[in-house]
Amino acid sequence: MKLSQFKFKLPEESVAQTPSYHRDECRLMILHRKSKKIDMYRTDENGEPLKDDEGNPVFLDFRNVLEHFDDGDTFIFNDTKVFPARLFGTKEKTDAKIEVFLLRELNEEMRLWDVLVEPARKIRIGNKLFFDDSGTMVAEVIDNTTSRGRTLRFLYDCPHDEFKRELFALGEAPLPRYIVDNRPATADDLNDFQCIFAKNEGAVTAPAAGLHFSREMMKRMEIIGINFAYVTLHCGLGNFHDIEVEDLTKHKMDSEQMFINTEACRIVNDTKTAGRHICAVGTSVLKATETAVGTDGLLKEYEGWTNKFIFPPYDVTLADSMIANFYHPYSPLLMSTAAFGGYDLVMEAYELAVNNGYRFGCYGDAMLILDD
């Protein structure tokens, strides 16, 4: 598969800058990968599209997902928790404004962090950065890792929990550049850019498909008898990096840390053995489960890292349905979606989405892919 096969024209106004008013009220498109059918509209008992007061067809919304699942089916969620990774500081002496994007903590005792800095040309080893007016949160650059990457040592003497609390209080939600280049992050984004079931801290971007689930919707799922299984994959920035090779087999993804425990395996494997449906909520769940699935088709416990890159053609082993957002051209997330749903069907769906005003990106609309 070639990079150029994932090119399409995405109007700027199609990229969502804010979330839906309610999490579960975004639009939904349903793809049936065997019959090649695509559904966008609600229908009556005769299969005819319902119309609004002005005679326009009524689009499906995310809550319609539940019409396609029943007692004994399982949804797999990524329970990673996003931390406020984007900070703004000033460089010593010059007071130049510097953006620091926290990637991960390297050493808890020494307060070492792997970060990205912007503008990188101004930041050299030995420089100090100040993050608050009192001058108590200070970091020293101790290494260059990549063109924009640096290792920072925070010079903050206190218990680690207090340090993390004070550091994160200075940060903001790590929204993608296609949002923050158009508007500043707000306090509301700290909640909106977090799944309601988020538990294990470590992500620097949200598993977007999970953002659509509200507490009310998950309560309805419990009443139906749908099972919840949770895996953890700490979503990194690799899915936003440009792919620089035409031949996708030559692209190397960044590694992301992941964990799959005994309980998740039990729930998923019991569902699989019973012949019930398993729905992967998002491309991060697809990556995690395909990393940890065994040759017997069952999920295995896992603790480690994955740089698995899923793109067409690819035979998915575990899940038989999937929820995804609508992603940008050339995105590895689009490629993973196309691997699950089939390249031709997914690209047809994307054309329909653009032409019918669907919203793209992490705050955008959703797609459900079914195996029928």
Side-chain angles (χ1 to χ4, degrees):
M1 211 79 192
K2 305 297 183 184
L3 176 66
S4 54
Q5 291 176 265
F6 293 92
K7 177 183 179 181
F8 65 94
K9 181 172 276 191
L10 180 62
E12 224 176 279
E13 60 270 19
S14 294
V15 180
Q17 299 295 310
T18 56
S20 304
Y21 186 74
H22 293 117
R23 286 179 182 266
D24 55 15
E25 288 183 351
C26 71
R27 281 194 196 176
L28 177 71
M29 185 183 290
I30 301 176
L31 279 60
H32 305 265
R33 63 181 182 181
K34 286 182 179 173
S35 64
K36 311 299 183 187
K37 181 184 171 190
I38 298 175
D39 296 327
M40 294 192 297
Y41 304 115
R42 296 184 191 178
T43 57
D44 59 22
E45 59 273 11
N46 299 316
E48 294 297 319
L50 296 174
K51 301 291 180 69
D52 62 19
D53 293 340
E54 298 177 355
N56 300 312
V58 179
F59 284 96
L60 295 165
D61 70 37
F62 192 72
R63 292 166 295 189
N64 294 114
V65 162
L66 299 191
E67 297 170 6
H68 301 273
F69 296 91
D70 210 340
D71 182 21
D73 294 337
T74 291
F75 277 53
I76 309 176
F77 298 99
N78 183 2
D79 67 2
T80 186
K81 187 175 183 180
V82 178
F83 61 89
R86 182 174 280 115
L87 289 78
F88 295 93
T90 56
K91 183 182 173 183
E92 62 174 341
K93 298 179 182 176
T94 67
D95 286 337
K97 189 173 183 181
I98 305 296
E99 178 183 311
V100 173
F101 195 99
L102 303 172
L103 296 176
R104 63 190 180 97
E105 191 170 33
L106 299 172
N107 185 297
E108 181 177 309
E109 184 179 350
M110 296 182 67
R111 310 282 195 266
L112 297 183
W113 280 77
D114 185 20
V115 307
L116 299 176
V117 295
E118 190 70 39
R121 68 182 183 279
K122 295 184 177 181
I123 304 302
R124 299 184 175 92
I125 293 173
N127 288 159
K128 285 188 173 64
L129 303 176
F130 294 83
F131 293 95
D132 59 4
D133 294 336
S134 66
T136 55
M137 187 64 73
V138 184
E140 181 182 8
V141 181
I142 65 169
D143 196 12
N144 294 336
T145 53
T146 63
S147 59
R148 292 177 56 220
R150 302 290 186 271
T151 300
L152 297 187
R153 180 174 63 216
F154 283 90
L155 310 175
Y156 197 92
D157 186 20
C158 68
H160 184 259
D161 288 347
E162 180 184 337
F163 161 70
K164 288 279 287 288
R165 187 168 59 250
E166 294 296 326
L167 179 65
F168 288 175
L170 297 170
E172 62 180 36
L175 299 177
R177 291 245 65 105
Y178 58 76
I179 293 179
V180 294
D181 285 347
N182 291 294
R183 70 164 179 89
T186 67
D188 287 341
D189 287 310
L190 287 171
N191 177 65
D192 294 336
F193 201 56
Q194 191 82 269
C195 298
I196 62 168
F197 44 79
K199 180 181 178 183
N200 297 308
E201 183 182 278
V204 294
T205 188
L211 295 176
H212 302 298
F213 287 85
S214 64
R215 286 179 173 77
E216 293 77 13
M217 185 169 174
M218 293 188 78
K219 188 63 180 177
R220 287 176 60 200
M221 294 167 72
E222 287 182 13
I223 292 169
I224 291 169
I226 294 171
N227 303 305
F228 303 154
Y230 296 96
V231 301
T232 303
L233 185 143
H234 293 316
C235 303
L237 296 183
N239 289 310
F240 297 98
H241 293 164
D242 291 338
I243 295 178
E244 298 178 346
V245 291
E246 175 67 2
D247 181 356
L248 295 181
T249 63
K250 293 181 168 57
H251 177 64
K252 303 300 181 186
M253 291 290 292
D254 290 353
S255 292
E256 295 167 306
Q257 193 173 22
M258 58 170 276
F259 305 87
I260 297 179
N261 63 26
T262 304
E263 179 68 2
C265 292
R266 182 190 64 77
I267 294 169
V268 171
N269 293 337
D270 286 353
T271 306
K272 184 88 170 179
T273 303
R276 303 299 307 174
H277 295 301
I278 297 173
C279 182
V281 179
T283 57
S284 65
V285 169
L286 180 66
K287 179 189 292 189
T289 54
E290 288 300 300
T291 295
V293 70
T295 54
D296 57 0
L298 299 178
L299 191 62
K300 310 299 181 185
E301 293 180 57
Y302 191 98
E303 181 175 338
W305 297 77
T306 179
N307 64 350
K308 193 172 187 66
F309 180 26
I310 298 175
F311 61 92
Y314 183 88
D315 293 325
V316 175
T317 305
L318 193 72
D320 65 347
S321 54
M322 177 183 175
I323 294 171
N325 273 32
F326 289 92
Y327 306 110
H328 284 65
Y330 305 122
S331 168
L333 306 174
L334 164 57
M335 296 166 191
S336 294
T337 306
F340 190 94
Y343 172 81
D344 291 334
L345 183 63
V346 168
M347 296 310 289
E348 178 187 350
Y350 267 58
E351 183 176 0
L352 285 171
V354 170
N355 293 338
N356 286 275
Y358 281 72
R359 305 193 325 151
F360 284 66
C362 61
Y363 278 157
D365 294 320
M367 171 188 292
L368 169 65
I369 305 174
L370 299 171
D371 190 35
D372 59 8

